[in-house]
Amino acid sequence: MDHSSLTRRQFIRFGTGIVAASTAMKVTVLEPNLPSAYARVVPPSDTVRFASIGTGVRGCELLQSSLRVPGIECVAVCDLYDSRHEAAKEAVKKDVPASRDYRKILDRKDVDAVIVATADHQHRRVLVDACLSGKDVYCEKPMSHTVEDGFAMIDVTQKTNRIVQIGSQGVSSILYAKAKEIYGSGRLGDVFMIEAYSDRNSASGAWVYPIPPDANEQTIDWNTFLDGAPKRPFDPVRFFRWRCFADYGEGLAGDLFVHLISGIHFITSTNTVAQRAQSTGGLFHWKDGRDFPDLIETFYDYPNFRVVLRCNLNNEGGEFIGFYGTQGTMVIKDSTLTYTPQDTRPQPESYSIYGWPNHLREEYLRDFHAKYPLPTPLASAVEDESETFTMPRGYSDLADHQANFFNAVRTRKRTVENEEFGNNAAIGCHLANYSYFNKVVATWDAGGKRIKS
């Protein structure tokens, strides 16, 4: 618009030289809070002894991270692929007993808790057996492979009074804690729209992992891997790239949506399931025999806001969550959080009045400025200030997430990302896939504990 009069905001920003360049951005490096992995000393008498069931890429990542958590000790590992036993020992920097059979782990009296980092289709079986054996469980995301699995896992967890935490580490991040604080303060106003994405552009990001040269039917317990899945001849591609196949995983929704959903639920204190979901997408690039799309976008209806999620394996976009409120915008982009206020102060109409005669326009502007005097430039600059928060160098939310789990094992207080929280996030993934594969709007039937179209 090329009108001669300025809006109030333009006047404040450009009418004085000092304010024109003043909308500063305050940058804060966040500090870990108790009881994080970085700030707690645990006496030897409170040491928690654990074992890892599943020591593939994620299992080893968890073992490496566990070295940063005080007061815990890995005493055994388990995997169906023999070479992962050696990898696990290297990760934990300790020669611990290793087995293919997780039941031998559960029989050990010196194991207080287990990490479950198996393929998704075996989460239910291992978690149920672990709880019945008196072990607490850190279970990788997504919690369940099916809706039915999730509720069975909740049932046994609560009947046995075990501590369970699901492995979306953002829930324990100091960055997400700050986002939750800002959201809860009301500074965003009413938030009706949230969007998020997690995008990659590499073979590894698309789960096209190389097959180890020693992978064969002698080094891999293929029949046990198929427990809970259809019988097939030995196929190392399915074993090492199981996330690509519906028999064992949930694709992009279960691998990446689950982190976004868990983060949104945590930040907004929305521990529930979306009422409806509608997905679109397709398999465009990674046409290697996989079941799942390499691009999926899902629209979710929650009671108080709408959510749009996207995962794209064909462009490196990183990770993003945006909260769009009536009074401010909050964005998490990778490891940075930014809050930007919206200017909601009364503004004179600057468009339609130019269809009025000049004397009516001037009368309107006089009345408006009499009713709403201009604030001081300094006050305006403070109101317009954006804030950015970052994590300290070397910070690991995965270590903090594990610390929260092991602290809960000691205190017997339920974790934030407990079995109910984890199940709600997993159902969101199942809704997305149900909608995509059936080409329908997926509706959550809470009473029937099922998805329907």
Side-chain angles (χ1 to χ4, degrees):
M1 247 183 337
D2 186 26
H3 298 313
S4 58
S5 68
L6 295 173
T7 66
R8 290 156 63 81
R9 186 167 190 167
Q10 289 169 333
F11 173 83
I12 293 165
R13 286 193 171 178
F14 304 119
T16 62
I18 186 171
V19 179
S22 72
T23 50
M25 181 173 289
K26 182 171 65 176
V27 179
T28 302
V29 178
L30 297 170
E31 293 294 333
N33 297 315
L34 288 171
S36 82
Y38 302 88
R40 180 177 172 85
V41 177
V42 179
S45 59
D46 285 344
T47 297
V48 176
R49 293 170 176 82
F50 75 96
S52 182
I53 300 173
T55 61
V57 58
R58 184 58 171 174
C60 284
E61 192 175 24
L62 288 163
L63 287 174
Q64 291 168 347
S65 180
S66 74
L67 299 176
R68 305 175 68 166
V69 181
I72 65 174
E73 179 186 1
C74 179
V75 296
V77 295
C78 174
D79 199 274
L80 300 178
Y81 170 40
D82 293 343
S83 289
R84 286 180 178 164
H85 298 169
E86 182 180 357
K89 295 175 185 180
E90 291 173 353
V92 80
K93 299 181 179 179
K94 182 180 179 183
D95 186 13
V96 294
S99 172
R100 286 184 174 186
D101 187 353
Y102 76 89
R103 290 167 297 186
K104 293 181 179 179
I105 300 291
L106 300 182
D107 288 341
R108 293 178 61 120
K109 302 302 181 184
D110 61 340
V111 173
D112 304 307
V114 294
I115 292 174
V116 178
T118 65
D120 299 346
H121 74 295
Q122 296 186 336
H123 282 183
R124 172 180 175 175
R125 177 166 60 91
V126 179
L127 180 143
V128 167
D129 288 348
C131 288
L132 292 175
S133 299
K135 316 300 185 187
D136 297 318
V137 180
Y138 179 112
C139 182
E140 260 306 308
K141 55 74 192 169
M143 173 174 151
S144 63
H145 186 51
T146 67
V147 170
E148 294 76 19
D149 283 357
F151 285 102
M153 295 163 82
I154 288 177
D155 184 61
V156 73
T157 296
Q158 297 182 352
K159 283 183 177 178
T160 57
N161 197 32
R162 305 320 305 168
I163 297 296
V164 166
Q165 177 170 279
I166 310 305
S168 286
Q169 64 271 11
V171 173
S172 293
S173 167
I174 56 176
L175 200 69
Y176 280 40
K178 174 55 69 171
K180 184 179 181 70
E181 175 190 317
I182 293 172
Y183 190 97
S185 73
R187 294 167 66 190
L188 294 173
D190 294 320
V191 177
F192 304 123
M193 176 63 191
I194 301 170
E195 66 175 338
Y197 60 77
S198 185
D199 293 347
R200 303 170 172 178
N201 192 13
S202 69
S204 180
W207 319 305
V208 186
Y209 303 139
I211 307 301
D214 69 340
N216 56 56
E217 291 184 81
Q218 285 69 51
T219 59
I220 294 172
D221 187 347
W222 176 249
N223 289 330
T224 298
F225 174 75
L226 292 182
D227 193 355
K231 299 301 180 184
R232 292 178 179 271
F234 176 72
D235 186 347
V237 169
R238 284 180 168 261
F239 184 83
F240 290 99
R241 303 174 187 172
W242 58 263
R243 288 177 178 83
C244 296
F245 304 101
D247 289 341
Y248 328 110
E250 290 79 55
L252 283 172
D255 195 44
L256 299 178
F257 270 16
V258 67
H259 285 304
L260 303 175
I261 294 171
S262 296
I264 290 168
H265 284 190
F266 172 73
I267 291 166
T268 63
S269 300
T270 304
N271 191 9
T272 188
V273 179
Q275 298 164 323
R276 303 194 315 162
Q278 185 170 6
S279 297
T280 187
L283 182 58
F284 298 101
H285 178 64
W286 298 100
K287 298 179 180 180
D288 53 4
R290 68 182 60 203
D291 298 327
F292 291 104
D294 54 22
L295 168 64
I296 185 170
E297 188 170 28
T298 303
F299 297 80
Y300 289 96
D301 290 353
Y302 282 85
N304 299 318
F305 50 74
R306 300 293 177 262
V307 173
V308 181
L309 300 186
R310 183 191 77 227
C311 286
N312 181 14
L313 296 181
N314 308 303
N315 180 269
E316 180 59 60
E319 188 167 301
F320 171 97
I321 308 179
F323 302 82
Y324 303 99
T326 56
Q327 296 181 26
T329 302
M330 182 171 66
V331 167
I332 299 173
K333 182 66 175 75
D334 301 323
S335 60
T336 300
L337 166 68
T338 301
Y339 165 75
T340 305
Q342 298 263 300
D343 188 351
T344 58
R345 294 165 297 199
Q347 304 285 342
E349 174 62 29
S350 61
Y351 181 72
S352 65
I353 59 174
Y354 284 88
W356 297 5
N358 186 62
H359 72 281
L360 293 180
R361 182 166 61 250
E362 291 180 350
E363 179 181 349
Y364 163 78
L365 291 172
R366 282 196 303 269
D367 291 345
F368 182 91
H369 290 300
K371 185 176 181 180
Y372 302 105
L374 288 171
T376 65
L378 181 59
S380 176
V382 171
E383 290 181 18
D384 286 346
E385 186 178 59
S386 294
E387 296 178 81
T388 294
F389 303 90
T390 63
M391 296 183 287
R393 184 183 299 274
Y395 173 76
S396 168
D397 54 6
L398 185 56
D400 265 359
H401 203 48
Q402 288 181 289
N404 285 339
F405 168 68
F406 289 111
N407 288 333
V409 170
R410 296 185 188 92
T411 64
R412 312 312 297 170
K413 295 180 180 178
R414 297 181 77 204
T415 61
V416 173
E417 196 177 1
N418 55 49
E419 65 279 3
E420 291 174 345
F421 186 110
N423 187 49
N424 287 339
I427 291 172
C429 305
H430 302 323
L431 283 167
N433 282 333
Y434 184 98
S435 174
Y436 174 82
F437 286 109
N438 292 284
K439 296 181 172 59
V440 296
V441 175
T443 301
W444 176 240
D445 177 3
K449 296 181 179 178
R450 65 190 180 97
I451 300 172
K452 60 183 183 180
S453 53

